[in-house]
Amino acid sequence: DSSRGYSTIPSSIDFNFPAADAPQNTFQVGWHFFVGSAYSQSGEEFGVQMMFWHYAMLPPAMAHKAGLTDMENQVTEMHLAVSRAGDRHYRTQPYVVSGTTGLSKFSQAPFNYQLGKNAMLSRKADALFPIDLTAGGLDERQANNPVEMKINIGLTQSEGKGYILNGDKGLSPSCGEVGTLYYSVPNLRVDPKASWIQLGNEKIQLASGKFWYDHQYGTGMMPSGNPRTAALRALTNVKEAVEGQDPGGWDWLMLQFDDNTEMT
């Protein structure tokens, strides 16, 4: 019964933006995910991913009784990766921080989400976008050739592309009080005045690019929690008995076309 005590998933929801963009720390798990393609001034293409992934270690009431704030109750992990077209894939060692270290910070107006020296910082007090992503780390995939990585990428929201509510108006899915809340903002544009990538000693100024933002959070997803509905609990038990343990994880992709159409 791993999901008991966390915020439950409602049967319907009206998101309030940009307040909903904040880390929703009373739910069990959540993440802020930015990914896209960027182009240097010479036209070279780079794929970039930056994500803050947070997990509440204890149900909020239990954490409060132990003297922990909602932020101190989180363990947050940063993923940072850069792929150079026709070349290798760079990925930092995952950066994992306990909220009790004081290195995980968040404030609103403007949105400012920090994990050590890594940050997602809005330029406006009343909106998430434009936003600046700042992150760094060490790629150690080649033991004899570690590569220091850094990004500084400014993203602006293109006209006509607002918040997209995934699933059933943002419920993806919600059944028996478990599942996720999930929305996206596609077609974010790279600000060439404030965007660069660094791989080792090479700093690449970015001229353009197109990114995607996902915010997803929920309860009873990882690990699978017990919904309050008996039929759903029975279904979960039958599936595990027949199919074996759920392997976990998923594959996700997006398509961003030249005519400003996007798919995921």
Side-chain angles (χ1 to χ4, degrees), residues 36-94:
S37 294
Y39 297 86
S40 71
Q41 294 175 338
S42 64
E44 189 175 13
E45 183 180 2
F46 297 84
V48 181
Q49 179 215 4
M50 178 185 176
M51 176 168 68
F52 285 179
W53 173 290
H54 62 97
Y55 195 97
M57 300 304 293
L58 297 171
M62 189 181 295
H64 297 165
K65 193 171 183 179
L68 299 173
T69 65
D70 289 336
M71 182 61 82
E72 289 171 336
N73 188 36
Q74 306 300 309
V75 167
T76 308
E77 179 176 0
M78 184 188 77
H79 292 186
L80 176 63
V82 176
S83 292
R84 194 170 199 160
D87 196 1
R88 59 172 286 196
H89 176 71
Y90 298 85
R91 180 182 176 185
T92 62
Q93 290 285 356

Side-chain angles (χ1 to χ4, degrees), residues 9-256:
I9 306 298
S11 58
S12 64
I13 185 170
D14 291 320
F15 291 101
N16 178 23
F17 298 113
D21 291 308
Q24 305 296 321
N25 291 332
T26 60
F27 290 84
Q28 199 170 17
V29 64
W31 55 93
H32 294 73
F33 176 74
F34 289 90
V35 65
S37 294
Y39 297 86
S40 71
Q41 294 175 338
S42 64
E44 189 175 13
E45 183 180 2
F46 297 84
V48 181
Q49 179 215 4
M50 178 185 176
M51 176 168 68
F52 285 179
W53 173 290
H54 62 97
Y55 195 97
M57 300 304 293
L58 297 171
M62 189 181 295
H64 297 165
K65 193 171 183 179
L68 299 173
T69 65
D70 289 336
M71 182 61 82
E72 289 171 336
N73 188 36
Q74 306 300 309
V75 167
T76 308
E77 179 176 0
M78 184 188 77
H79 292 186
L80 176 63
V82 176
S83 292
R84 194 170 199 160
D87 196 1
R88 59 172 286 196
H89 176 71
Y90 298 85
R91 180 182 176 185
T92 62
Q93 290 285 356
Y95 180 63
V96 183
V97 171
S98 168
T100 54
T101 64
L103 294 173
S104 302
K105 299 177 182 179
F106 177 76
S107 58
Q108 284 276 40
F111 176 101
N112 185 6
Y113 196 5
Q114 295 180 317
L115 197 60
K117 296 181 179 180
N118 311 287
M120 301 173 176
L121 175 60
S122 298
R123 298 179 189 173
K124 293 183 177 180
D126 59 350
L128 183 64
F129 303 104
I131 192 169
D132 291 293
L133 310 179
T134 305
L138 197 64
D139 177 295
E140 297 181 284
R141 291 173 58 224
Q142 298 178 354
N144 59 345
N145 184 31
V147 178
E148 185 176 9
M149 301 168 51
K150 292 181 181 178
I151 67 165
N152 191 100
I153 297 178
L155 298 173
T156 61
Q157 191 173 5
S158 60
E159 293 185 10
K161 297 286 182 175
Y163 284 80
I164 308 300
L165 306 184
N166 298 308
D168 180 12
K169 299 178 182 179
L171 303 170
S172 183
S174 172
C175 195
E177 299 186 343
V178 299
T180 70
L181 303 171
Y182 184 17
Y183 59 84
S184 307
V185 180
N187 205 345
L188 299 171
R189 298 305 179 98
V190 170
D191 178 0
K193 297 179 181 179
S195 301
W196 49 265
I197 294 170
Q198 185 170 332
L199 298 173
N201 295 324
E202 183 182 10
K203 187 174 182 179
I204 303 111
Q205 197 71 33
L206 299 179
S208 63
K210 200 172 177 182
F211 272 66
W212 183 291
Y213 163 66
D214 266 359
H215 184 202
Q216 190 168 8
Y217 54 95
T219 293
M221 178 188 177
M222 300 180 70
S224 296
N226 285 340
R228 303 273 69 84
T229 306
L232 288 176
R233 293 201 301 273
L235 175 63
T236 301
N237 292 335
V238 169
K239 284 181 62 178
E240 290 187 355
V242 173
E243 302 172 7
Q245 185 65 35
D246 185 345
W250 60 93
D251 297 311
W252 183 92
L253 61 88
M254 62 163 178
L255 304 173
Q256 302 196 100

